[in-house]
Amino acid sequence: MKYATIDDFDEVWQIFKDNKAWFPHVRTFHVKNRLKWGQVILQDNVLITQQQYKRKGPIGRDTDTVVQKSDYIIHQIIAKNKGTGEAAKVMQEYFDHVNANVYLTVRAENVPANRFYEKVGMEKVGYINWSKGTMKGNVWKKEKGG
């Protein structure tokens, strides 16, 4: 996997700006911190922000899903070029690379993203709600080695 560095900020930020409809909450300081912490992958026109959990706990405030220490979470995944198959390829490489359980959360209304996660072999394992329950979401999991 190719990890992005702070030198890649302009390219990474442009990808977020081009996808503002789905990532309106992402701020420049957030991206810069993730780059500094080594939590951004930029490979084959696909951007993944992710991290490994350091302790067991719920995946969010309003959820039924608990993650374990050493599991991974994908915060964002964005394909620069939609429909090319690059994102599916990079996701499979990511699953192999971390060799651990991988979770992610996504808005329930984001039908293309939910279909994609099913397509790459993830299983819907729970719910998460944001904005005091007004924004519904799904929790997806890829089992280690699964």
Side-chain angles (χ1 to χ4, degrees):
M1 304 267 39
K2 182 185 174 298
Y3 285 82
T5 67
I6 197 67
D7 294 337
D8 299 307
F9 172 78
D10 290 339
E11 183 179 359
V12 169
W13 184 241
Q14 188 60 51
I15 293 169
F16 277 109
K17 286 192 332 191
D18 292 345
N19 292 276
K20 201 72 170 160
W22 293 111
F23 303 103
H25 59 287
V26 176
R27 305 287 181 257
T28 57
F29 75 88
H30 170 87
V31 173
K32 287 179 181 177
N33 283 340
R34 291 218 181 272
L35 286 164
K36 289 176 194 168
W37 299 331
Q39 296 177 347
V40 180
I41 294 168
L42 185 56
Q43 181 169 313
D44 300 333
N45 299 308
V46 177
L47 172 76
I48 297 174
T49 64
Q50 52 85 47
Q51 73 186 82
Q52 188 174 34
Y53 281 102
K54 296 185 184 338
R55 63 183 190 281
K56 176 182 174 178
I59 200 164
R61 286 191 184 109
D62 183 359
T63 184
D64 63 348
T65 305
V66 174
V67 295
Q68 304 299 314
K69 180 180 177 181
S70 300
D71 288 344
Y72 280 78
I73 183 165
I74 293 176
H75 295 291
Q76 290 97 15
I77 176 169
I78 311 169
K80 230 171 144 177
N81 308 311
K82 312 288 188 259
T84 63
E86 292 169 324
K89 178 182 156 289
V90 171
M91 281 288 277
Q92 291 302 331
E93 290 172 7
Y94 177 78
F95 296 146
D96 293 342
H97 173 70
V98 298
N99 193 29
N101 294 330
V102 177
Y103 290 84
L104 60 79
T105 62
V106 63
R107 291 184 220 173
E109 69 187 38
N110 189 341
V111 174
N114 282 284
R115 277 195 202 123
F116 173 75
Y117 301 132
E118 186 173 22
K119 178 180 154 187
V120 297
M122 298 186 85
E123 179 183 352
K124 191 172 6 172
V125 295
Y127 74 86
I128 187 166
N129 295 315
W130 299 282
S131 299
K132 298 178 182 171
T134 62
M135 187 183 299
K136 305 292 184 189
N138 298 320
V139 178
W140 291 86
K141 178 183 181 183
K142 176 71 172 179
E143 194 79 35
K144 175 183 176 179

